[in-house]
Amino acid sequence: PEPAGRPATKGELDQLLEHLIGELDAVDFFRTPDRRASMARTLRLIFARADLREADVHLLRGVIKALARGGRRAPQGRT
């Protein structure tokens, strides 16, 4: 069966990767500039092969955002 939704655009994939790489930079994941360049290139290749849909990109951006804030969300209905 054909995947639902339209394919993600190059711009959407670029924004996803910028978001992911930015958050990885924020926690010093890469440790060195050489490692950063190599791993960023590998991440780009992985996402380019993945045939992501627009909805996939939105989901992954939400996952990255949740992880970046420590996975904690204020309970709904509480002040």
Side-chain angles (χ1 to χ4, degrees):
E2 177 124 354
R6 70 165 174 77
T9 66
K10 181 180 180 328
E12 289 167 336
L13 290 174
D14 288 345
Q15 289 176 346
L16 169 65
L17 285 161
E18 286 175 24
H19 187 183
L20 176 59
I21 291 168
E23 294 300 341
L24 291 172
D25 279 336
V27 296
D28 197 31
F29 177 81
F30 300 113
R31 295 191 188 101
T32 68
D34 288 343
R35 185 170 181 216
R36 183 189 189 280
S38 172
M39 291 188 81
R41 190 171 36 256
T42 300
L43 287 168
R44 287 187 188 284
L45 291 171
I46 290 168
F47 282 105
R49 288 191 308 258
D51 191 29
L52 296 176
R53 313 309 278 180
E54 176 188 27
D56 301 330
V57 171
H58 287 287
L59 172 66
L60 290 170
R61 300 269 321 251
V63 168
I64 295 165
K65 188 184 290 187
L67 290 171
R69 69 171 175 251
R72 292 181 285 285
R73 172 183 270 186
Q76 292 183 349
R78 293 190 187 175
T79 56

